[in-house]
Amino acid sequence: MILMGSPKYIEYIERLARGEMLTHNEFAELIENRDDGLMEYAARKAVEIRIREYGRDIYVRGLIEFTNHCRNDCYYCGIRRSNSSASRYRLTPDEIIECCRAGHELGFRTFVLQGGEDMSYSDDTICSIISSIKTLFPDCAVTLSIGEHSYESYKAYFDAGADRYLLRHETANAEHYSKLHPAELSLENRKECLWNLKKIGYQVGAGFMVGSPYQTSRDLAEDMLFLYELKPQMVGIGPFIPQHDTPFADHKAGTWQETCFLLSLIRIMLPRVLLPSTTALGTIHPTGREKGILAGANVVMPNLSPVNVRDKYLLYDNKICTGDEAAECRNCLQARMNSIGYDIVISRGDSRQEGYIKK
Ligand code: 5AD
Ligand code: FES
């Protein structure tokens, strides 16, 4: 059966695909009026563009969740500092390097060091971890995902060899931002961090949760405008999923449908963006990650963290893969990608978009 969305909104998608930007109102209307026909249309366009830019290659990133200590208290997040039920852990630099070694053998050429804002790792420690990885595995890219830091710290990590930085903006609307975070965190500061990272020369990733509490279509439209302005090399989005020990325990999760529609719109608006199909999407639907790829994503991020800490990095409930070895996830994803006609490739998978310093 061929589904058709309303011609008015099909035309919006066509305009976006021609490189014309939509207004805030138009994006909000398009997102608000999503139906199966529009989803299918946007996904078809997005896949066409993704195949033109990156073919059927899927890049993998080995995710190393190296600490779940965090100084922040974001209302949505399971490792927020007020969550006294979280069982906390830290990996030593040697343990992190061991994860990379195992990952390198499995074909990973990007390592993502992700953690809470844990000030017990000094800048010097972070820099020495980065330079060890770059020395031992010179064919690999290092991505950091460790939150908000000063320009000087970001610059030091970059000079130590870090290639990329992920820092989701979470929502581009200041009022909405203040409903998701305590007063000491601000959208203004978050944006400044992202601009600093760009200025330094990182490949930068922004992003947001879909269906987070109090989010409206107008907020999502603002996210699209902000992404267009920032032009990040990577965009990470996934559904919000409640975590039982947080203030948002009783809010409902975002949907895979809305997440996939936004993945498609992002691919169409930023054709060369590196776009992961996230673990959160795989958590709310058994084939969520496949659906994300079929909506225009081109990256998957299996977990490389040691199995004994896997079930402690719980930003949200029911997270998948917490009991699986790195090799199992790698093979599982390979099979999943093959099942939909795609291939995981052994490559750093750098952005084809301009605006960063190639190392
Ligand atoms: N549901 C989904 N995603 C979450 N994140 C944090 N908490 C949740 C949750 N409850 C996302 C945030 C953060 C990224 C590392 O994980 O967007 O930037
Ligand atoms: Fe981890 Fe499937 S990706 S088990």
Side-chain angles (χ1 to χ4, degrees):
M1 185 180 64
I2 294 181
L3 298 164
M4 269 306 283
S6 138
K8 176 177 172 188
Y9 300 123
I10 295 279
E11 180 53 24
Y12 284 10
I13 294 171
E14 279 297 329
R15 276 174 50 204
L16 201 58
R18 286 198 298 269
E20 276 173 48
M21 198 37 191
L22 302 182
T23 65
H24 181 243
N25 277 334
E26 288 167 340
F27 262 127
E29 248 187 297
L30 176 59
I31 292 164
E32 184 75 32
N33 290 287
R34 168 179 55 81
D35 60 21
D36 290 351
L38 280 180
M39 263 181 78
E40 193 178 302
Y41 194 88
R44 207 172 331 127
K45 273 273 153 206
V47 166
E48 217 174 272
I49 293 170
R50 202 270 328 280
I51 286 180
R52 183 187 77 210
E53 297 294 339
Y54 291 103
R56 288 183 172 272
D57 289 355
I58 302 297
Y59 300 125
V60 274
R61 318 301 194 195
L63 184 62
I64 303 169
E65 298 156 334
F66 69 97
T67 170
N68 70 351
H69 289 259
C70 191
R71 64 174 162 181
N72 292 330
D73 220 13
C74 309
Y75 304 142
Y76 46 84
C77 184
I79 64 168
R80 62 200 299 266
R81 68 161 187 266
S82 308
N83 183 6
S84 54
S85 311
S87 149
R88 307 281 174 176
Y89 73 91
R90 295 188 171 102
L91 299 185
T92 63
D94 284 346
E95 288 172 317
I96 296 172
I97 302 290
E98 268 325 296
C99 291
C100 296
R101 202 184 300 284
H104 195 262
E105 272 176 29
L106 291 169
F108 290 92
R109 295 297 178 266
T110 292
F111 301 114
V112 182
L113 304 185
Q114 185 172 92
E117 288 185 19
D118 180 353
M119 303 319 281
S120 79
Y121 295 84
S122 66
D123 282 354
D124 284 348
T125 307
I126 297 287
C127 288
S128 91
I129 296 169
I130 297 164
S131 54
S132 303
I133 298 175
K134 296 294 284 194
T135 308
L136 290 166
F137 312 105
D139 55 345
C140 293
V142 170
T143 305
L144 297 177
S145 175
I146 53 175
E148 296 186 4
H149 295 276
S150 66
Y151 183 95
E152 291 69 35
S153 296
Y154 285 157
K155 179 81 170 71
Y157 312 150
F158 188 77
D159 292 340
D163 301 272
R164 311 186 187 130
Y165 205 106
L166 306 176
L167 182 69
R168 291 187 178 179
H169 62 280
E170 311 297 358
T171 171
N173 179 278
E175 202 183 315
H176 186 220
Y177 197 94
S178 72
K179 293 180 180 160
L180 303 181
H181 302 95
E184 66 262 23
L185 293 172
S186 73
L187 177 61
E188 200 188 344
N189 200 56
R190 182 58 62 112
K191 285 185 170 175
E192 192 183 318
C193 286
L194 284 163
W195 290 112
N196 283 343
L197 291 162
K198 278 216 107 178
K199 200 187 310 168
I200 291 168
Y202 282 96
Q203 297 180 54
V204 172
F208 53 90
M209 291 176 288
V210 178
S212 62
Y214 315 109
Q215 183 180 63
T216 64
S217 302
R218 300 191 64 76
D219 294 330
L220 288 167
E222 221 162 315
D223 289 320
M224 296 300 289
L225 298 189
F226 175 64
L227 290 177
Y228 189 74
E229 186 195 351
L230 182 69
K231 300 217 166 25
Q233 284 77 20
M234 308 169 281
V235 173
I237 71 165
F240 161 76
I241 305 174
Q243 202 281 354
H244 61 279
D245 285 319
T246 62
F248 290 162
D250 296 327
H251 285 262
K252 55 179 200 320
T255 65
W256 67 264
Q257 290 90 338
E258 189 163 40
T259 306
C260 286
F261 190 50
L262 282 153
L263 282 171
S264 299
L265 296 184
I266 293 167
R267 167 65 62 203
I268 297 168
M269 179 176 78
L270 301 172
R272 297 193 158 178
V273 78
L274 291 162
L275 194 60
S277 188
T278 55
T279 305
L281 186 52
T283 296
I284 58 164
H285 190 285
T287 56
R289 284 166 301 177
E290 292 88 322
K291 288 182 186 302
I293 300 296
L294 294 171
N298 67 330
V299 172
V300 287
M301 299 174 67
N303 204 313
L304 277 185
S305 312
V307 173
N308 64 316
V309 301
R310 283 281 181 105
D311 56 349
K312 296 188 170 70
Y313 199 84
L314 298 177
L315 310 186
Y316 48 81
D317 289 341
N318 306 316
K319 187 178 172 197
I320 53 171
C321 300
T322 54
D324 300 286
E325 292 286 351
E328 293 177 80
C329 282
R330 170 70 176 69
N331 294 338
C332 167
L333 276 170
Q334 177 81 59
R336 286 171 183 270
M337 295 301 113
N338 290 347
S339 78
I340 53 170
Y342 289 78
D343 241 325
I344 284 183
V345 292
I346 297 184
S347 158
R348 276 173 51 123
D350 284 301
S351 173
R352 295 191 58 218
Q353 194 175 298
E354 317 278 271
Y356 65 91
I357 298 174
K358 292 199 172 75
K359 290 187 175 169

